[in-house]
Each structure stands twice: as structure tokens, then as C-alpha cells.
């Protein structure tokens, strides 16, 4: 999947910038453990770290297109373009010749042929930069759904960019500063497209390009969700979704390295695993390899709740047996989850104290274990956003609330489960008042609603569910995609997300809510389109969130860590805390809401210390 970075400076000669580019590039070794490269020109410096997936020998980067001794284009590229073979054939028909079999070279020639419009022809997950020495212009491009990250920092005479904030922060002209708006964005639990959190830093918006010229930067949207009348009947809709899914998964099985699926036993991951098994078998390959996460003592400690009625293990095993997968469980224990080195690795992967605490740590450990066997994994991420799977899609209070529905539904209930408190409860009330978290969320909510593409004549519940879907596909799924990319790439594992294919997203977005819930359940269309692939127990299973450890020792470990932080008055995190609230919770804190608030405090402490971050409030 790779990591990219670069620096454009129109008032400097960057041929002497190797030391700076080396430092920026080295921050992405985890994203690209197989190889690294740098290309320098007068006003452009590009860096690349490679995770070899396709054309292991020929896909080295930065990659150039040259003619008669002149460099026509240079790129540093991350991601996968799943239709690169069709594009290559079309380009060859237009006279282009290729020296590799990589999708990177196809992207370069597509730009040479169609310019910025080439982005509209790509199907995949990608983030890349193309430098044109002929015009001295840089183009930054990000995939439609924002699966792959790309950050940039405008400067007086150009731009600094990278796959992750850490590569931008490695440049000597960039400081790790977060202002009041950045802190509000960090805590709001809704991801504002384009917001980089660090002061002065931006993220290329999904489906957008950013062009850098001597005169400055210009941003353009090349794709966005659109509203159209859905004219297919139910049977046609179900059939088309099945056709799309089979095509999507078959394309995403292409790799020159070992591939697997992430299998939880839920509907989404089971569908992907079953389709992958079918696709591999149809191609004379297989069996599909699958992995699931589990926790030591989980079966003994499991307590059913409204959110998690059953443990995942039996369902994952049933699906694996049904499709004859080569399946393995990755079993984690509390000591491993709480190991400081693992927690710090997760924070470094995110560059910010954001996320779901131990859930992120368990993901990191799962990916790290999988990386010992596979380089690419297919995931069921985003099916809930596309098909309406979360419980709050079906909760009248959340649907009719005047804010992001996952906030009304208390998102951390899906991680915490007990419905009490808020994860900012340990933060200083004066601090929260200063950043006006409630006002920030309100502003971002109104901003998002104003973007929703309306359908003429649509009213009532159908109109509101279009809004709900749009909010999830543009503000909520980004949180999860960001986490999955960053945590997986910290282990050198590429995770592909078939449900994010823009063709599927656009089609289902325009399917009426009444059709999406035609059988009275969540994800009715997905279940109907794939039921024949699944054992009945899996097809009929009620939605269950990603699992977390229910080991009763875990809160005790957190309390010990929290006491350590409180005891050291030199810790910079003290300036952010409501010390009385933290102290009052130490003797009684045991619930999962206590866990999420404590995990936030511990990650803030590590971030402020290790990144040398400063707050300008």
C-alpha cells in the first residue's frame, strides 16, 4: 500500500533537500517496509516507502515517465487501482507503451493522457502526487471514499505533504501545534472532511484533487454522492447488488502476495469471506485464508447485553467451515492489550490521541499477527454505513435528533456498553467550555446537512434517511477508515474495503429506505443478496459491534496506569484534567465507560509527551 511524502518549494533549490526528505520518508517505513526511494528536482522532492503488492520487481518508486532524456512526469503513489488492466489496454490502444506491469505506471500514463480528469477513471483506493516538470505543477489526488489518507501543509512558496501527519511533522518548518478548533475536532467524534487537526495542516478531501502552482493551491471535487430516483424493483435491486459485490471482490483478490480476509462472524465480514472463497475457487485457487480476533477467557467472561447478544467465535467458525476456509483465531490477553509498547505503537500510528482505546490496540495486535502470514486482507468495513446496519439507524430518537445520530445514540456505548458518562468526563470543564465542543459539533452538523444532495419531491422519513446515510458516508465512516488504514499500515498490512467501492456506495445511497429495510431488519438488501452464500445462523445473526475484552482485570490495569499519571505532577496532561473527577473515579471505576475515559487520558498523556505537542487555546 505504501507511504508517500514530498515537498514543493518554488523559491528554493530542492536538489539539496535530501536530508529533509530522508527524515520525512523514514517516518513511513512501517507503511512501506520493502523498499524506499527519493527523487529530487529543482523545486520538487518526492519520497516513497513501498509495500510490494503488484509487480514486486518492477513497481519501484518514485516512478517517472521519460522521453528523449526528459522527465515528463514523476509520481509517488500509494494504493490500488482495481481497474488498471482495463485502463492499461485502453492506453495501449492510444499508443502508450509500458515497461512494468504495475498499476502505478498505469496511473502515470493515465495522467499523461487525460490530465487531472484521469482521477475520474480510477476505481480503487489511492492517494498520490504527480509532479509535472513541464509546467512545474503538482497534483495531489485522493480516492472517492477517502480510504487512503493524504495530508498537506501549505507553505509560503509551496506545500509539504505526506500519507500521515508524522511525515509532514518531520519537516523542520512544521510544528505539532493544535489550536482550539483542532482540539474540538479531535474530541468531537465526527470527522470533518479536509480538517488536519494540527494547526496549518489539511487533509485532501475524499474525491478531491489539490493542484499546487506558483500562485497557490486550488481544490477540485471530481466525485461526490449524487441523488437520483431509484427505478429498479426489489428483485432487480437485490440482483444488481449481488453482481456488484461479485465484481468488486473478484477485482480486489488481485495480488502478487498472500491474501486473506478478516472474519468476525458478522454478516459483513462473512459476506466478504464467502465471496472471496467463491472468487478464488472460480479462478482455480484457494482455499481462502481467514483470521478472527478473540480474547483469552472471553467465553468464560462473556456477558450478553443489548449490544452484544452472542460472542463472535461460533459464528466465525461456522462460516469458515461452510466455505472451507483456512481459518485461525488470534487470541489476545489483557497483558498484551495493556502493554505500554503496544499502546504507544497505536498512538504513533494515529499521530493523535483519537480512537477507541483497547479496540484499536486489539486491531493493531490482530494485524500484526496476520502480517506474519499475509500481506493483504479484505475487510467488511463500511457495510453498516452503506446498508444502514447500526442500531441508531433504526432508533427514532437518534434519527429524529438534531445532531449526528451516533452522538444521540452515544457512540461509545457500542464500545463501552453501559450508557453512563461521556469520554470527556475527565477533562477540565473550563477547557471544554473554551473550545465549545457542543457548539463545534452543532456547526459541523449544520455544515454537513447543507451538503446533502436532495431528491426532488422526497419528504418525511425517506428524506431524513437520505440525510442520515449521507452523514454516515461522509462524516462517520471516515473515522473507521482512518483507524483501519493507520493501524493496519503500522504493521505493514494492506487492508482492502470492498464495501467502499464507489459504484456500490452510489447505487445503495439512492435505494429508498423502505427497500433497504423491506424485511423489517437492518441491512435487508445485503442479507437478501448474499443469503445463499452463508449458513443460516450467520445470515440471520443480529448486528454485533467489534468485540472488546471483558477480562475483569482490565479496569484494574487502567486504574494503576491512571494513578501513575496523577502522581507525576510534571505530566503536561494535568493542565487538561478535572483532577477531582479523575480522583473520585479511581476507587469505584470499573465499568466500560470508565475504561473509555481513562484510555483517552492515557493517550493524551503519551501524545503530549512523545510528540512534544503544544496547545494554543
Amino acid at each position: 500500500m505504501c507511504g508517500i511524502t514530498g515537498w514543493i518549494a518554488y523559491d528554493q533549490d530542492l536538489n539539496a533537500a535530501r536530508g529533509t526528505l530522508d527524515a520525512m520518508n523514514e517516518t513511513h517505513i512501517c507503511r512501506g517496509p520493502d523498499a524506499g526511494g527519493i527523487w529530487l528536482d529543482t523545486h520538487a522532492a518526492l519520497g516513497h516507502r513501498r509495500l510490494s503488492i503488484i509487480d514486486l520487481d518492477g513497481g519501484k518508486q518514485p516512478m517517472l515517465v521519460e522521453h528523449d532524456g526528459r522527465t515528463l512526469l514523476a509520481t509517488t503513489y500509494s494504493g490500488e487501482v482495481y481497474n488498471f488492466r482495463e485502463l492499461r489496454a485502453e492506453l495501449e490502444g492510444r499508443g502508450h507503451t509500458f515497461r512494468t506491469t504495475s498499476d502505478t505506471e498505469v496511473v502515470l500514463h493515465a495522467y499523461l493522457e487525460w490530465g487531472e480528469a484521469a482521477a475520474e477513471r480510477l476505481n480503487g483506493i489511492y492517494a498520490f502526487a504527480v509532479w509535472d516538470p513541464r509546467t512545474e505543477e503538482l497534483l495531489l489526488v485522493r480516492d472517492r471514499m477517502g480510504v487512503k489518507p493524504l495530508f498537506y501543509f501549505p507553505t509560503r512558496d509551496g506545500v509539504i505533504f505526506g500519507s500521515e501527519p508524522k511525515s509532514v511533522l518531520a519537516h523542520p518548518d512544521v510544528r505539532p501545534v493544535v489550536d482550539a478548533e483542532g482540539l474540538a475536532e479531535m474530541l468531537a467524534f465526527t470527522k470533518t472532511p479536509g480538517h488536519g487537526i494540527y494547526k496549518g495542516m489539511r487533509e485532501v478531501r475524499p474525491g478531491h484533487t489539490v493542484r499546487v502552482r506558483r500562485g497557490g493551491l486550488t481544490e477540485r471535487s471530481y466525485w461526490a454522492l449524487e441523488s437520483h430516483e431509484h427505478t429498479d424493483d426489489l428483485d432487480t435491486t437485490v440482483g444488481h447488488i449481488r453482481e456488484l459485490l461479485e465484481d468488486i471482490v473478484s477485482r480486489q483478490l488481485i495480488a502478487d502476495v498472500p491474501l486473506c480476509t478478516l472474519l468476525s462472524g458478522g454478516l459483513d465480514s462473512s459476506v466478504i469471506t464467502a465471496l472471496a472463497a467463491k472468487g478464488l475457487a472460480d479462478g482455480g485457487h484457494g482455499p481462502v485464508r481467514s483470521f478472527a480476533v478473540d480474547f483469552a477467557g472471553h467465553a468464560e467472561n462473556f456477558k450478553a447485553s443489548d449490544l452484544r447478544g452472542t460472542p463472535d467465535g461460533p459464528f466465525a467458525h461456522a462460516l469458515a467451515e461452510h466455505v472451507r476456509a483456512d481459518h485461525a483465531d488470534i487470541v489476545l490477553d489483557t497483558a498484551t492489550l495493556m502493554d505500554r509498547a503496544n499502546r504507544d505503537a497505536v498512538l504513533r500510528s494515529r499521530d493523535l490521541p483519537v480512537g477507541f482505546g483497547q479496540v484499536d490496540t486489539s486491531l493493531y495486535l490482530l494485524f500484526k499477527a496476520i502480517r506474519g502470514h499475509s500481506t493483504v486482507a479484505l475487510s467488511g468495513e463500511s457495510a453498516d454505513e452503506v446498508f444502514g446496519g447500526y442500531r441508531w439507524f433504526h432508533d427514532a430518537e437518534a434519527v429524529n435528533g438534531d445532531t449526528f445520530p451516533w452522538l444521540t445514540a452515544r457512540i461509545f456505548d457500542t464500545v463501552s456498553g453501559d450508557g453512563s458518562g461521556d469520554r470527556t468526563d475527565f477533562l477540565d470543564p473550563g477547557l471544554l467550555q473554551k473550545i465549545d465542543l457542543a457548539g463545534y459539533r452543532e456547526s459541523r452538523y449544520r455544515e454537513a446537512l447543507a451538503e446533502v444532495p436532495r431528491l426532488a419531491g422526497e419528504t418525511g422519513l425517506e428524506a431524513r434517511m437520505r440525510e442520515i446515510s449521507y452523514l454516515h458516508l461522509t462524516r462517520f465512516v471516515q473515522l473507521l477508515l482512518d483507524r483501519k488504514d493507520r493501524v493496519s499500515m503500522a504493521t505493514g498490512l494492506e487492508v482492502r474495503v470492498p464495501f467502499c467501492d464507489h459504484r456500490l456506495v452510489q447505487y445503495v445511497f439512492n435505494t429508498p429506505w423502505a427497500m433497504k429495510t423491506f424485511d423489517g431488519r437492518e441491512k435487508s438488501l445485503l442479507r437478501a443478496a448474499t443469503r445463499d452464500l452463508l449458513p443460516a445462523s450467520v445470515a440471520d445473526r443480529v448486528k454485533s459491534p467489534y468485540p472488546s475484552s471483558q477480562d475483569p482485570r482490565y479496569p484494574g490495569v487502567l486504574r494503576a496506569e491512571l494513578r501513575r499519571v496523577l502522581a507525576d505532577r510534571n505530566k503536561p496532561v494535568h493542565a487538561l484534567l478535572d483532577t477531582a473527577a479523575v480522583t473520585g473515579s479511581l476507587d469505584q471505576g470499573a465499568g466500560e465507560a470508565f475504561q473509555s475515559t481513562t484510555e483517552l487520558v492515557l493517550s493524551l498523556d503519551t501524545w503530549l509527551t512523545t510528540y512534544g505537542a503544544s496547545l494554543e487555546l
Side-chain angles (χ1 to χ4, degrees):
M1 188 59 71
C2 310
I4 68 173
T5 194
W7 180 16
I8 305 301
Y10 291 108
D11 295 341
Q12 302 178 57
D13 184 349
L14 295 186
N15 282 300
R18 177 171 293 276
T20 298
L21 256 292
D22 278 337
M24 295 168 65
N25 211 32
E26 290 303 291
T27 65
H28 286 153
I29 284 181
C30 289
R31 294 189 72 93
D34 297 330
I38 283 177
W39 181 81
L40 302 175
D41 198 6
T42 305
H43 300 304
L46 306 181
H48 189 267
R49 290 295 318 185
R50 189 180 185 212
L51 177 64
S52 302
I53 303 293
I54 294 175
D55 191 358
L56 305 188
D57 295 326
K60 296 178 181 177
Q61 296 188 51
M63 187 177 288
L64 312 178
V65 174
E66 298 175 305
H67 181 70
D68 290 339
R70 292 189 308 122
T71 299
L72 303 182
L73 294 174
T75 191
T76 180
Y77 163 90
S78 169
E80 305 290 347
V81 170
Y82 301 124
N83 63 333
F84 77 99
R85 290 174 173 170
E86 296 98 312
L87 286 173
R88 178 183 174 123
E90 181 177 358
L91 288 164
E92 286 176 331
R94 291 171 175 265
H96 292 257
T97 58
F98 295 84
R99 57 183 178 80
T100 76
T101 59
S102 70
D103 58 335
T104 305
E105 190 177 14
V106 171
V107 169
L108 262 177
H109 282 267
Y111 183 86
L112 198 61
E113 180 69 29
W114 297 299
E116 189 171 340
E120 300 164 24
R121 296 173 175 264
L122 306 180
N123 177 306
I125 53 176
Y126 47 81
F128 61 89
V130 178
W131 172 252
D132 188 336
R134 300 165 299 178
T135 60
E136 293 192 329
E137 293 181 359
L138 179 81
L139 186 71
L140 301 175
V141 183
R142 193 173 181 208
D143 65 70
R144 292 170 177 83
M145 289 295 290
V147 178
K148 305 315 296 178
L150 182 53
F151 293 84
Y152 65 100
F153 186 93
T155 64
R156 175 185 54 79
D157 68 335
V159 71
I160 300 161
F161 67 88
S163 292
E164 299 178 2
K166 60 173 60 67
S167 63
V168 178
L169 292 171
H171 192 285
D173 291 344
V174 185
R175 294 170 49 238
V177 177
V178 174
D179 59 18
E181 182 179 289
L183 185 57
E185 175 72 16
M186 189 191 303
L187 298 173
F189 224 82
T190 177
K191 188 171 172 63
T192 305
H195 206 302
I197 297 184
Y198 285 105
K199 187 176 180 180
M201 194 180 297
R202 300 284 295 164
E203 188 172 16
V204 179
R205 292 168 59 107
H208 280 64
T209 64
V210 174
R211 184 170 291 280
V212 182
R213 301 182 174 95
R214 284 183 178 272
L217 283 64
T218 56
E219 184 180 25
R220 183 183 78 89
S221 170
Y222 69 89
W223 184 84
L225 285 168
E226 298 177 346
S227 289
H228 306 288
E229 183 180 359
H230 186 80
T231 58
D232 292 343
D233 62 19
L234 178 60
D235 289 342
T236 303
T237 298
V238 169
H240 186 57
I241 289 171
R242 174 61 173 266
E243 291 172 0
L244 280 172
L245 286 171
E246 288 186 347
D247 179 70
I248 291 164
V249 172
S250 67
R251 290 176 182 275
Q252 297 193 22
L253 291 174
I254 297 172
D256 295 333
V257 291
L259 177 145
C260 69
T261 68
L262 307 177
L263 176 60
S264 70
L267 178 65
D268 312 338
S269 65
S270 295
V271 165
I272 296 303
T273 301
L275 286 169
K278 181 178 183 298
L280 289 171
D282 290 347
H285 307 291
V288 65
R289 189 106 198 242
S290 61
F291 293 91
V293 67
D294 201 356
F295 301 92
H298 191 63
E300 297 85 350
N301 295 312
F302 182 81
K303 296 178 181 178
S305 67
D306 290 340
L307 291 171
R308 300 187 188 93
T310 52
D312 287 342
F315 296 92
H317 296 161
L319 188 283
E321 183 178 351
H322 186 74
V323 302
R324 295 183 173 85
D326 179 6
H327 181 76
D329 292 328
I330 306 299
V331 181
L332 309 177
D333 59 29
T334 301
T336 307
L337 278 173
M338 202 57 204
D339 186 289
R340 180 69 179 270
N342 292 327
R343 287 173 29 234
D344 287 355
V346 170
L347 179 76
R348 287 195 301 273
S349 76
R350 305 297 298 274
D351 291 315
L352 289 161
V354 294
F356 293 93
Q358 63 138 310
V359 174
D360 287 0
T361 308
S362 68
L363 265 180
Y364 169 77
L365 293 169
L366 171 65
F367 294 152
K368 187 176 181 180
I370 290 173
R371 186 61 176 88
H373 308 278
S374 299
T375 308
V376 175
L378 271 63
S379 166
E381 199 78 82
S382 82
D384 287 307
E385 290 80 7
V386 173
F387 289 97
Y390 294 119
R391 62 185 177 90
W392 51 83
F393 273 89
H394 312 271
D395 181 320
E397 181 183 359
V399 168
N400 297 320
D402 197 24
T403 187
F404 295 106
W406 54 90
L407 297 181
T408 301
R410 304 184 62 83
I411 175 61
F412 270 88
D413 290 359
T414 66
V415 179
S416 311
D418 63 7
S420 63
D422 183 276
R423 73 180 191 130
T424 60
D425 282 351
F426 288 171
L427 299 185
D428 176 47
L431 171 71
L432 296 176
Q433 184 177 20
K434 183 179 293 187
I435 66 173
D436 188 15
L437 187 56
Y440 184 81
R441 285 170 169 162
E442 165 74 7
S443 176
R444 293 311 190 192
Y445 176 66
R446 299 299 165 197
E447 181 180 271
L449 279 185
E451 293 177 6
V452 177
R454 311 290 174 176
L455 186 64
E458 192 172 59
T459 61
L461 180 62
E462 285 293 344
R464 178 55 176 166
M465 294 315 296
R466 183 177 297 277
E467 292 178 345
I468 297 292
S469 295
Y470 185 86
L471 294 174
H472 280 82
L473 292 169
T474 63
R475 296 322 195 261
F476 186 72
V477 76
Q478 291 299 313
L479 295 168
L480 305 184
L481 293 175
D482 195 52
R483 173 184 67 168
K484 185 145 285 184
D485 169 84
R486 219 65 63 77
V487 175
S488 64
M489 292 306 295
T491 70
L493 178 72
E494 173 182 302
V495 174
R496 298 176 178 177
V497 280
F499 288 116
C500 276
D501 186 289
H502 70 278
R503 298 169 297 163
L504 179 69
V505 173
Q506 180 66 64
Y507 184 77
V508 179
F509 175 69
N510 281 301
T511 305
W513 181 247
M515 191 176 286
K516 290 178 184 176
T517 56
F518 75 88
D519 64 357
R521 297 195 58 187
E522 81 283 356
K523 291 185 284 196
S524 304
L525 291 174
L526 178 60
R527 188 176 288 103
T530 59
R531 178 177 285 277
D532 64 300
L533 298 171
L534 311 171
S537 61
V538 173
D540 293 326
R541 189 185 182 197
V542 175
K543 165 71 181 175
S544 181
Y546 182 88
S548 61
S549 172
Q550 295 191 15
D551 190 324
R553 296 172 296 172
Y554 187 70
V557 175
L558 286 177
R559 277 196 299 274
E561 287 285 304
L562 192 55
R563 290 183 192 278
R564 176 185 61 79
V565 170
L566 283 181
D568 187 349
R569 299 302 303 178
N570 293 320
K571 291 282 189 181
V573 76
H574 279 276
L576 309 181
L577 299 182
D578 181 345
T579 305
V582 178
T583 303
S585 72
L586 282 173
D587 293 331
Q588 55 197 14
E592 294 183 38
F594 165 80
Q595 294 181 30
S596 64
T597 53
T598 301
E599 286 165 339
L600 175 62
V601 170
L602 296 178
S603 61
L604 280 167
D605 172 60
T606 302
W607 172 66
L608 289 167
T609 303
T610 60
Y611 276 71
S614 59
L615 300 178
E616 291 185 356
L617 307 179

